[in-house]
Amino acid sequence: MFKKTLMAAALAAATGSAFAGDIVVSGTAYKVGNEYLNAYTGSALEGNLETAAIGIAYFPGIALGVNNTLKFEFNGGAISADTGLKLQKITAFATHADNATIQTAIDTAVDAVVELAPADTAGDLANLKAAAISAITDAEAADETVDGTAAKTAINAELYDTNFATTVANIKGLNTAITSTVIPTNAADAADLVDFGTDANGDYTWALFKITDATLTADEVLVFNDTNDDGAANITTNFTKATIGTGDLTVSLPEAKDDTGVSLSAPVAGAEVLVTTANQFALTATAVTDTIDVEQDRLFFSDAIGDDVTTDFVFDITVDGTIDLGIDHTTAEFAMELTGNFSGVEQADYTETDLVGTDDTAVFDADNMVEGVGISDATVAITVDGDTNLATRTVKASMMITPTETDTEAFYLLGSSSAGANAFIWDLNGSEITFPYAPLGYDHITTNFELANSGDQEGDVLITAFTREGVAYSGTLEGKAEAESLTKISGAEVYGALGLAAGTSLSVTFSTTAPDADIKITGYSNLASGGRMALLSDAYEGESDKANCVLTGTAGNDDLAITCN
């Protein structure tokens, strides 16, 4: 089975503060690129937690005894089988190396408050707390290995001492609770692997450990398999494209029991993420438009009269420069992909490179784009075959990479989104007529339309509509606007094409893929009780000539009426 090691970032902040029954993951979880997963053809991948310096620490919060058992579960993947797995113990996370510097920042912030109120009483306690917490928060932002959670909790719990100076000293002194999320070394064995569950590849999906250390107190921390004493889990996480593509690979502790099999109180722990997925690129495009010419039987574009080749499309692609790609730019192959309906397009050329044959996708080389650099003034010439009717369409551009399957380190990443962006929009210069008011789907009202095509070119009839509340519908009639013919369109046909489910009043637009000058459409409604009313459209010139109609009455009754002004 082909596997690929994914190298993650250096140590970063733990995912949360520790308390009874808590798992903390030190280091940054693997982020596997969705673009990489889409291109990946292998069956399984690996993430080496040891090399990535990712640690797993468990805080039971209670004293554990010999022969107590702890069960770890790995969801969304597994870990490599290893019967030598261990749990080691440490007393606590180490005091942070920059604690003195952080202390100075706290002192400075608190002293600034004291200077404003050197003899104040309880009223300034909130300001003292806020100043100290702000200094700790700044330290956490500057160094991801700083964990000030316990210190901030203790500061918030501080009560006013009757001696103001003592209150100030108490708050300053709480910096000792600031710790490092780096797991300290010199851990000692505390539990052995006694059972496990496996997947189809023999990798562990869960592991059960039995405590062997008789001196585990409530303050001690269990480190997952730090056998070489470097603060990282000496294991390899295994996952497939299918499992990691639908969620994260997590570690949890759902079960803790004493030596008689009775569940221990409080020490179970929720899931923490070891491997996750992310999108690589944030992509924006400046889209360009062209118009399909109905006067040329929809075979050519309006800017290419009698010519198979359009004037050049010029558009821009920008890649978010704030993203750390995590990829070796000099070897990774980047490309731009255009996706859309290329029916009727014989070829598309980008800087003399043929993009499109008979395919529905087009790919052109992006010259091994480096981080933050996109494509400026990309010029693509479209050549139509001159025999196939072109359709309105939107062609999207997206970034893609072609991974080298033998490269074991190139495709981890830190990243953001890479959704496709519109590159080309092709519209039509055919007829478009709107009826601002048309009742459809009522039992006591029938609405019909008549489309006259005086030209020698037939066309498709596309319908768009929206209600007064702004709900939009669209569809295409099954029949054509036949050349030199009058086509009758029933309200039922429009109702079905739009996919309506109940009677409603809409603004309806008919777009016909035939020359505008050749198309005329009229509409009218009949009440079952008698009477016929013409539906006016925006083809009538002048605002005063446009219909403003309202349907009154109750559907199913005989009081329905249409009133227009």
Side-chain angles (χ1 to χ4, degrees), residues 198-531:
T198 61
D199 61 14
N201 300 316
D203 297 322
Y204 296 168
T205 56
W206 58 267
L208 184 72
F209 294 90
K210 182 177 288 186
I211 302 298
T212 58
D213 190 310
T215 62
L216 290 178
T217 68
D219 296 329
E220 288 176 305
V221 182
L222 296 176
V223 180
F224 198 97
N225 204 52
D226 185 21
T227 52
N228 61 355
D229 201 27
D230 65 353
N234 189 26
I235 58 174
T236 298
T237 53
N238 298 316
F239 45 95
T240 67
K241 178 176 178 176
T243 59
I244 199 64
T246 57
D248 300 327
L249 193 164
T250 62
V251 57
S252 62
L253 191 140
E255 178 184 299
K257 296 182 178 180
D258 66 16
D259 56 356
T260 66
V262 176
S263 294
L264 297 171
S265 61
V268 296
E272 293 289 350
V273 176
L274 294 172
V275 182
T276 188
T277 60
N279 292 328
Q280 176 105 47
F281 304 103
L283 180 70
T284 58
T286 303
V288 295
T289 62
D290 208 345
T291 301
I292 302 164
D293 192 4
V294 299
E295 300 284 356
Q296 300 185 84
D297 297 327
R298 304 193 308 280
L299 301 177
F300 306 97
F301 291 100
S302 61
D303 61 0
I305 304 300
D307 191 347
D308 291 350
V309 183
T310 71
T311 55
D312 295 336
F313 290 102
V314 180
F315 64 99
D316 298 315
I317 299 291
T318 303
V319 180
D320 190 340
T322 63
I323 297 172
D324 176 8
L325 298 182
I327 287 179
D328 181 354
H329 307 311
T330 60
T331 60
E333 182 180 337
F334 290 76
M336 189 69 62
E337 182 177 51
L338 303 179
T339 305
N341 175 9
F342 286 95
S343 175
V345 176
E346 184 174 289
Q347 68 180 40
D349 294 305
Y350 168 68
T351 60
E352 302 179 356
T353 301
D354 186 28
L355 304 182
V356 179
T358 58
D359 228 321
D360 277 354
T361 61
V363 177
F364 57 87
D365 180 31
D367 300 323
N368 288 325
M369 286 191 294
V370 297
E371 177 184 341
V373 179
I375 297 176
S376 178
D377 297 331
T379 300
V380 177
I382 303 293
T383 304
V384 299
D385 62 22
D387 297 319
T388 307
N389 285 152
L390 300 171
T392 56
R393 67 197 63 177
T394 297
V395 177
K396 291 183 175 292
S398 59
M399 283 295 302
M400 61 179 293
I401 58 173
T402 303
T404 303
E405 294 288 0
T406 56
D407 187 343
T408 60
E409 299 182 2
F411 293 99
Y412 77 89
L413 59 93
L414 305 174
S416 187
S417 67
S418 65
N422 292 345
F424 306 134
I425 300 173
W426 298 349
D427 57 16
L428 188 78
N429 62 1
S431 165
E432 188 172 276
I433 296 175
T434 298
F435 292 86
Y437 178 85
L440 296 169
Y442 293 104
D443 292 336
H444 291 71
I445 299 176
T446 58
T447 297
N448 297 280
F449 301 91
E450 294 181 352
L451 189 157
N453 183 356
S454 60
D456 58 5
Q457 179 180 310
E458 72 173 17
D460 295 321
V461 182
L462 297 84
I463 309 173
T464 56
F466 61 89
T467 66
R468 272 181 284 185
E469 294 75 27
V471 180
Y473 302 89
S474 64
T476 301
L477 289 178
E478 291 185 7
K480 302 276 189 180
E482 301 292 343
E484 299 180 346
S485 299
L486 178 68
T487 301
K488 293 182 178 292
I489 304 171
S490 70
E493 289 178 284
V494 177
Y495 185 90
L498 294 175
L500 300 176
T504 186
S505 301
L506 307 110
S507 172
V508 179
T509 298
F510 293 87
S511 299
T512 308
T513 60
D516 182 47
D518 296 340
I519 301 297
K520 297 290 186 288
I521 304 179
T522 58
Y524 55 89
S525 293
N526 290 322
L527 287 173
S529 57

